[in-house]
Amino acid sequence: MARLPVYLRALTALQERGVATVSSEELAAAAGVNSAKLRKDLSHLGSYGTRGVGYEVEYLVYQISRELGLTQDWVVAIIGVGNLGRALAGYGGFASRGFRVAGLLDADEAIVGQEISGMVVEHIDRLEDIIADHGVSIAVIATPAGAAQGVCDRVVAAGVTSVLNFAPVVLSVPEGVDVRKVDLSIELQILAFHEQRKAGGPDGLAPLQEGDPPPGTSQYVETVEA
Amino acid sequence: MARLPVYLRALTALQERGVATVSSEELAAAAGVNSAKLRKDLSHLGSYGTRGVGYEVEYLVYQISRELGLTQDWVVAIIGVGNLGRALAGYGGFASRGFRVAGLLDADEAIVGQEISGMVVEHIDRLEDIIADHGVSIAVIATPAGAAQGVCDRVVAAGVTSVLNFAPVVLSVPEGVDVRKVDLSIELQILAFHEQRKAGGPDGLAPLQEGDPPPGTSQYVETVEA
DNA sequence: ATGTGTGAACTATTTCACAGCC
DNA sequence: GGCTGTGAAATAGTTCACACAT
């Protein structure tokens, strides 16, 4: 149910505009999905609509929040305080949805001790302490690619079972641990792919030529900073 | 084909380690997918493997890059230079994959003129000029939610047909324009959902109670800063 | 022997279309 | 009359399993 957060966002926007009731058609349009899909999704949570009328916005917001577990607070730690870690630390959308940042951690001595968004950056050595003391249940990894697996192993060993990974690597974790991955450059690559298709007409690429040359060296060298 | 960038990443990592050849099994493991799926995906690009041997890393890197359109340069503009815009401007993974940042733009006079990652922030008024002058084909929107649709309309009017949106809104665009959306808080919400399921046993939530109270006011108020 | 490429089986997801309730 | 909830149909995506090339 990866679409529930999108519905929730659309609903809170309606709520702010003082709308009391929506039809599946309207809400689906706001969320950018098909209305039948929306109804099926919502029907999985229970029968919260009224036939002939629609859904009561307030009530649906509450039910989806409950389903998503947003009626309780989740404690997160952000590991890696580069540009991205800073952006995450200052991101208002976390606090407002019940996500509390318990700590910012980094290995770089020059960054440790700095104050970012009202929090003092801690040394990565304190990782296990912070997880235990604050009851961290979600770790956000925003380190360089090379450090990510090591950090991941440590947070998992310390009992964290949900990881949001911004480093451009596939993390391996034991059974029972959830990892979600956000990769900024992958999103751009997907856009480039579609853009190319448009430019090249309906068929896109030229078909593979027999003598298509394998390049001597690749220009696609990895630079890894999440 | 949203998985091609992941394969490409795994392949370049192998390439750096000097590996000349991979089997579908090995590459699938590195990319975190099933090997049959990987073979099927690759077979869509053409027959680039050798039976009994595997895939030549160098050659496959080239073919996937070509398919994704990474053998040409793409010009991007980043609109909104808050924390996230800064992180994106400094993100090394763009330049290394053929994405060239042509401009950083913001509406805030206090930010305009600042130098970020070697670029001077331009005023949003210059948006159309910059798009035309540099041939921008991808716009990255990292503005607050309220400004996103307006910015989107302007870039589309200026001829951009691919948008990467970090603002927490569903953008509406004309036919033929691609939008991809990255929403940091949605990823966390999905993790929270799974985390809750683990904690609550296989059945997760308590079943809906008859007298389940609709809340008087919602605590889920939108704060919008992408 | 080994490992790709792929038809066929299976599973999941999306959409249709309409009965049933307001 | 209008709109939800949902079986059934259609579509998409995944995995199996093996023929066939090297």
Short mmCIF file of all heavy atoms in Angstrom, two decimals, chain A residues 7 23-29 32-42 55, chain C residues 15-18, chain D residues 4-6:
data_model
loop_
_atom_site.label_atom_id
_atom_site.label_comp_id
_atom_site.label_asym_id
_atom_site.label_seq_id
_atom_site.Cartn_x
_atom_site.Cartn_y
_atom_site.Cartn_z
N TYR A 7 -2.52 9.46 -0.86
CA TYR A 7 -3.92 9.80 -0.57
C TYR A 7 -3.99 10.70 0.66
O TYR A 7 -4.74 11.68 0.69
CB TYR A 7 -4.74 8.53 -0.32
CG TYR A 7 -4.74 7.54 -1.45
CD1 TYR A 7 -5.01 6.19 -1.21
CD2 TYR A 7 -4.49 7.94 -2.76
CE1 TYR A 7 -5.03 5.28 -2.24
CE2 TYR A 7 -4.49 7.02 -3.79
CZ TYR A 7 -4.77 5.68 -3.53
OH TYR A 7 -4.78 4.76 -4.55
N SER A 23 -15.57 12.69 -3.32
CA SER A 23 -15.89 11.47 -4.05
C SER A 23 -14.58 10.79 -4.44
O SER A 23 -13.52 11.41 -4.45
CB SER A 23 -16.70 11.79 -5.30
OG SER A 23 -15.89 12.47 -6.23
N SER A 24 -14.67 9.52 -4.76
CA SER A 24 -13.47 8.79 -5.19
C SER A 24 -12.89 9.43 -6.44
O SER A 24 -11.67 9.47 -6.63
CB SER A 24 -13.80 7.32 -5.45
OG SER A 24 -14.73 7.21 -6.50
N GLU A 25 -13.77 9.95 -7.28
CA GLU A 25 -13.34 10.58 -8.52
C GLU A 25 -12.46 11.80 -8.24
O GLU A 25 -11.37 11.95 -8.79
CB GLU A 25 -14.58 11.02 -9.31
CG GLU A 25 -14.37 11.13 -10.81
CD GLU A 25 -14.34 9.77 -11.48
OE1 GLU A 25 -15.26 8.95 -11.24
OE2 GLU A 25 -13.40 9.53 -12.24
N GLU A 26 -12.92 12.67 -7.32
CA GLU A 26 -12.19 13.88 -6.99
C GLU A 26 -10.86 13.56 -6.32
O GLU A 26 -9.81 14.10 -6.69
CB GLU A 26 -13.02 14.76 -6.05
CG GLU A 26 -14.28 15.33 -6.69
CD GLU A 26 -15.27 15.86 -5.64
OE1 GLU A 26 -15.36 15.30 -4.52
OE2 GLU A 26 -15.96 16.83 -5.96
N LEU A 27 -10.92 12.67 -5.34
CA LEU A 27 -9.70 12.34 -4.60
C LEU A 27 -8.69 11.66 -5.51
O LEU A 27 -7.48 11.93 -5.43
CB LEU A 27 -10.03 11.44 -3.41
CG LEU A 27 -8.88 11.07 -2.48
CD1 LEU A 27 -8.14 12.30 -2.00
CD2 LEU A 27 -9.39 10.26 -1.29
N ALA A 28 -9.19 10.81 -6.39
CA ALA A 28 -8.30 10.12 -7.32
C ALA A 28 -7.58 11.12 -8.22
O ALA A 28 -6.38 11.01 -8.46
CB ALA A 28 -9.09 9.12 -8.16
N ALA A 29 -8.33 12.13 -8.68
CA ALA A 29 -7.73 13.16 -9.53
C ALA A 29 -6.64 13.90 -8.76
O ALA A 29 -5.54 14.13 -9.28
CB ALA A 29 -8.81 14.13 -10.01
N GLY A 32 -3.68 11.72 -8.43
CA GLY A 32 -3.09 11.29 -9.69
C GLY A 32 -3.24 9.81 -9.99
O GLY A 32 -2.36 9.21 -10.58
N VAL A 33 -4.36 9.22 -9.59
CA VAL A 33 -4.60 7.81 -9.90
C VAL A 33 -6.02 7.62 -10.45
O VAL A 33 -6.83 8.53 -10.42
CB VAL A 33 -4.43 6.90 -8.66
CG1 VAL A 33 -3.03 7.01 -8.09
CG2 VAL A 33 -5.47 7.22 -7.60
N ASN A 34 -6.29 6.42 -10.90
CA ASN A 34 -7.60 6.00 -11.39
C ASN A 34 -8.57 5.83 -10.21
O ASN A 34 -8.18 5.34 -9.16
CB ASN A 34 -7.39 4.68 -12.13
CG ASN A 34 -8.67 4.06 -12.59
OD1 ASN A 34 -9.54 3.75 -11.77
ND2 ASN A 34 -8.79 3.85 -13.88
N SER A 35 -9.83 6.23 -10.41
CA SER A 35 -10.75 6.22 -9.28
C SER A 35 -11.12 4.81 -8.81
O SER A 35 -11.37 4.59 -7.62
CB SER A 35 -12.02 7.00 -9.63
OG SER A 35 -12.79 6.29 -10.56
N ALA A 36 -11.15 3.87 -9.72
CA ALA A 36 -11.45 2.49 -9.33
C ALA A 36 -10.34 1.93 -8.44
O ALA A 36 -10.59 1.24 -7.45
CB ALA A 36 -11.62 1.60 -10.56
N LYS A 37 -9.13 2.28 -8.78
CA LYS A 37 -7.98 1.85 -7.99
C LYS A 37 -8.06 2.43 -6.59
O LYS A 37 -7.85 1.73 -5.60
CB LYS A 37 -6.69 2.30 -8.69
CG LYS A 37 -5.44 1.94 -7.95
CD LYS A 37 -4.23 1.71 -8.87
CE LYS A 37 -3.86 2.91 -9.71
NZ LYS A 37 -2.72 2.58 -10.59
N LEU A 38 -8.36 3.71 -6.52
CA LEU A 38 -8.49 4.35 -5.22
C LEU A 38 -9.57 3.67 -4.37
O LEU A 38 -9.35 3.37 -3.20
CB LEU A 38 -8.83 5.83 -5.39
CG LEU A 38 -9.02 6.57 -4.07
CD1 LEU A 38 -8.10 7.75 -3.98
CD2 LEU A 38 -10.45 6.99 -3.86
N ARG A 39 -10.71 3.40 -4.96
CA ARG A 39 -11.78 2.76 -4.19
C ARG A 39 -11.35 1.38 -3.71
O ARG A 39 -11.60 1.01 -2.56
CB ARG A 39 -13.05 2.64 -5.05
CG ARG A 39 -13.75 3.96 -5.28
CD ARG A 39 -15.22 3.77 -5.66
NE ARG A 39 -15.40 2.99 -6.87
CZ ARG A 39 -15.30 3.49 -8.11
NH1 ARG A 39 -15.02 4.77 -8.27
NH2 ARG A 39 -15.49 2.73 -9.15
N LYS A 40 -10.68 0.64 -4.57
CA LYS A 40 -10.22 -0.69 -4.16
C LYS A 40 -9.20 -0.58 -3.03
O LYS A 40 -9.27 -1.33 -2.06
CB LYS A 40 -9.65 -1.45 -5.35
CG LYS A 40 -9.33 -2.90 -5.02
CD LYS A 40 -9.59 -3.85 -6.18
CE LYS A 40 -11.05 -4.21 -6.31
NZ LYS A 40 -11.33 -5.23 -7.33
N ASP A 41 -8.29 0.36 -3.15
CA ASP A 41 -7.29 0.55 -2.09
C ASP A 41 -7.98 0.86 -0.77
O ASP A 41 -7.67 0.27 0.26
CB ASP A 41 -6.34 1.71 -2.44
CG ASP A 41 -5.35 1.33 -3.53
OD1 ASP A 41 -5.22 0.13 -3.85
OD2 ASP A 41 -4.69 2.25 -4.07
N LEU A 42 -8.92 1.80 -0.81
CA LEU A 42 -9.57 2.21 0.42
C LEU A 42 -10.45 1.10 1.01
O LEU A 42 -10.57 0.98 2.22
CB LEU A 42 -10.42 3.47 0.19
CG LEU A 42 -9.63 4.74 -0.16
CD1 LEU A 42 -10.57 5.93 -0.26
CD2 LEU A 42 -8.53 5.02 0.86
N TYR A 55 -16.56 10.16 0.61
CA TYR A 55 -15.83 9.89 1.85
C TYR A 55 -15.77 11.15 2.71
O TYR A 55 -15.55 12.25 2.19
CB TYR A 55 -14.41 9.44 1.53
CG TYR A 55 -14.33 8.17 0.71
CD1 TYR A 55 -14.31 8.22 -0.68
CD2 TYR A 55 -14.29 6.92 1.32
CE1 TYR A 55 -14.25 7.07 -1.45
CE2 TYR A 55 -14.23 5.75 0.57
CZ TYR A 55 -14.21 5.83 -0.81
OH TYR A 55 -14.15 4.69 -1.56
P DT C 15 -5.15 1.50 -14.21
OP1 DT C 15 -4.53 2.32 -15.26
OP2 DT C 15 -5.43 2.07 -12.88
"O5'" DT C 15 -6.51 0.91 -14.78
"C5'" DT C 15 -6.48 0.21 -16.02
"C4'" DT C 15 -7.82 -0.47 -16.22
"O4'" DT C 15 -8.01 -1.44 -15.18
"C3'" DT C 15 -9.02 0.48 -16.14
"O3'" DT C 15 -9.62 0.55 -17.44
"C2'" DT C 15 -9.95 -0.14 -15.08
"C1'" DT C 15 -9.41 -1.57 -14.99
N1 DT C 15 -9.61 -2.24 -13.68
C2 DT C 15 -10.35 -3.40 -13.63
O2 DT C 15 -10.86 -3.90 -14.62
N3 DT C 15 -10.47 -3.94 -12.37
C4 DT C 15 -9.93 -3.46 -11.18
O4 DT C 15 -10.12 -4.04 -10.12
C5 DT C 15 -9.17 -2.25 -11.31
C7 DT C 15 -8.55 -1.63 -10.10
C6 DT C 15 -9.05 -1.71 -12.53
P DC C 16 -10.95 1.40 -17.66
OP1 DC C 16 -10.89 1.93 -19.04
OP2 DC C 16 -11.15 2.31 -16.52
"O5'" DC C 16 -12.07 0.27 -17.62
"C5'" DC C 16 -11.83 -0.94 -18.33
"C4'" DC C 16 -12.96 -1.93 -18.10
"O4'" DC C 16 -12.88 -2.48 -16.77
"C3'" DC C 16 -14.36 -1.33 -18.23
"O3'" DC C 16 -15.13 -2.24 -18.99
"C2'" DC C 16 -14.84 -1.23 -16.79
"C1'" DC C 16 -14.16 -2.44 -16.17
N1 DC C 16 -13.92 -2.37 -14.70
C2 DC C 16 -14.37 -3.41 -13.87
O2 DC C 16 -14.99 -4.36 -14.37
N3 DC C 16 -14.13 -3.35 -12.54
C4 DC C 16 -13.46 -2.31 -12.05
N4 DC C 16 -13.23 -2.29 -10.73
C5 DC C 16 -12.98 -1.24 -12.86
C6 DC C 16 -13.22 -1.31 -14.18
P DA C 17 -16.53 -1.87 -19.58
OP1 DA C 17 -16.76 -2.77 -20.73
OP2 DA C 17 -16.61 -0.40 -19.72
"O5'" DA C 17 -17.52 -2.32 -18.42
"C5'" DA C 17 -17.68 -3.71 -18.13
"C4'" DA C 17 -18.70 -3.87 -17.03
"O4'" DA C 17 -18.08 -3.55 -15.77
"C3'" DA C 17 -19.89 -2.90 -17.15
"O3'" DA C 17 -21.01 -3.50 -16.53
"C2'" DA C 17 -19.43 -1.72 -16.33
"C1'" DA C 17 -18.83 -2.51 -15.15
N9 DA C 17 -17.98 -1.74 -14.26
C8 DA C 17 -17.33 -0.56 -14.51
N7 DA C 17 -16.65 -0.10 -13.49
C5 DA C 17 -16.86 -1.04 -12.50
C6 DA C 17 -16.41 -1.13 -11.18
N6 DA C 17 -15.62 -0.24 -10.60
N1 DA C 17 -16.83 -2.22 -10.46
C2 DA C 17 -17.63 -3.12 -11.04
N3 DA C 17 -18.11 -3.14 -12.29
C4 DA C 17 -17.68 -2.06 -12.96
P DC C 18 -22.40 -3.69 -17.26
OP1 DC C 18 -22.21 -4.84 -18.17
OP2 DC C 18 -22.93 -2.42 -17.77
"O5'" DC C 18 -23.28 -4.17 -16.04
"C5'" DC C 18 -22.77 -5.14 -15.13
"C4'" DC C 18 -23.04 -4.72 -13.69
"O4'" DC C 18 -21.98 -3.90 -13.16
"C3'" DC C 18 -24.33 -3.90 -13.50
"O3'" DC C 18 -24.99 -4.40 -12.37
"C2'" DC C 18 -23.78 -2.50 -13.22
"C1'" DC C 18 -22.58 -2.92 -12.37
N1 DC C 18 -21.63 -1.81 -12.05
C2 DC C 18 -20.98 -1.83 -10.81
O2 DC C 18 -21.20 -2.76 -10.04
N3 DC C 18 -20.13 -0.82 -10.49
C4 DC C 18 -19.93 0.17 -11.36
N4 DC C 18 -19.07 1.14 -11.01
C5 DC C 18 -20.57 0.20 -12.64
C6 DC C 18 -21.40 -0.79 -12.94
P DT D 4 -17.57 7.59 -4.37
OP1 DT D 4 -16.78 8.60 -3.65
OP2 DT D 4 -17.20 7.23 -5.74
"O5'" DT D 4 -17.65 6.28 -3.49
"C5'" DT D 4 -18.20 6.35 -2.20
"C4'" DT D 4 -18.76 4.99 -1.80
"O4'" DT D 4 -19.66 4.52 -2.82
"C3'" DT D 4 -17.70 3.89 -1.62
"O3'" DT D 4 -17.99 3.18 -0.42
"C2'" DT D 4 -17.85 3.02 -2.86
"C1'" DT D 4 -19.32 3.20 -3.22
N1 DT D 4 -19.64 3.08 -4.67
C2 DT D 4 -20.51 2.10 -5.09
O2 DT D 4 -21.03 1.29 -4.33
N3 DT D 4 -20.76 2.07 -6.44
C4 DT D 4 -20.24 2.92 -7.40
O4 DT D 4 -20.55 2.81 -8.59
C5 DT D 4 -19.34 3.93 -6.91
C7 DT D 4 -18.71 4.90 -7.87
C6 DT D 4 -19.08 3.96 -5.58
P DG D 5 -16.83 2.29 0.26
OP1 DG D 5 -17.09 2.20 1.71
OP2 DG D 5 -15.53 2.75 -0.23
"O5'" DG D 5 -17.14 0.87 -0.38
"C5'" DG D 5 -18.30 0.18 0.02
"C4'" DG D 5 -18.42 -1.11 -0.77
"O4'" DG D 5 -18.65 -0.80 -2.16
"C3'" DG D 5 -17.18 -2.01 -0.75
"O3'" DG D 5 -17.63 -3.34 -0.53
"C2'" DG D 5 -16.56 -1.82 -2.13
"C1'" DG D 5 -17.79 -1.56 -2.98
N9 DG D 5 -17.57 -0.75 -4.18
C8 DG D 5 -16.77 0.37 -4.30
N7 DG D 5 -16.80 0.88 -5.51
C5 DG D 5 -17.66 0.06 -6.22
C6 DG D 5 -18.08 0.11 -7.57
O6 DG D 5 -17.76 0.95 -8.44
N1 DG D 5 -18.95 -0.91 -7.89
C2 DG D 5 -19.38 -1.88 -7.02
N2 DG D 5 -20.22 -2.78 -7.50
N3 DG D 5 -19.00 -1.95 -5.75
C4 DG D 5 -18.14 -0.96 -5.42
P DT D 6 -16.65 -4.56 -0.37
OP1 DT D 6 -17.27 -5.47 0.61
OP2 DT D 6 -15.28 -4.04 -0.17
"O5'" DT D 6 -16.70 -5.27 -1.79
"C5'" DT D 6 -17.91 -5.79 -2.29
"C4'" DT D 6 -17.69 -6.31 -3.69
"O4'" DT D 6 -17.55 -5.21 -4.63
"C3'" DT D 6 -16.40 -7.14 -3.87
"O3'" DT D 6 -16.72 -8.27 -4.64
"C2'" DT D 6 -15.48 -6.23 -4.65
"C1'" DT D 6 -16.51 -5.51 -5.50
N1 DT D 6 -16.03 -4.24 -6.12
C2 DT D 6 -16.50 -3.91 -7.36
O2 DT D 6 -17.30 -4.59 -7.98
N3 DT D 6 -16.02 -2.74 -7.86
C4 DT D 6 -15.12 -1.88 -7.26
O4 DT D 6 -14.76 -0.85 -7.80
C5 DT D 6 -14.66 -2.29 -5.95
C7 DT D 6 -13.71 -1.44 -5.19
C6 DT D 6 -15.13 -3.44 -5.46
#
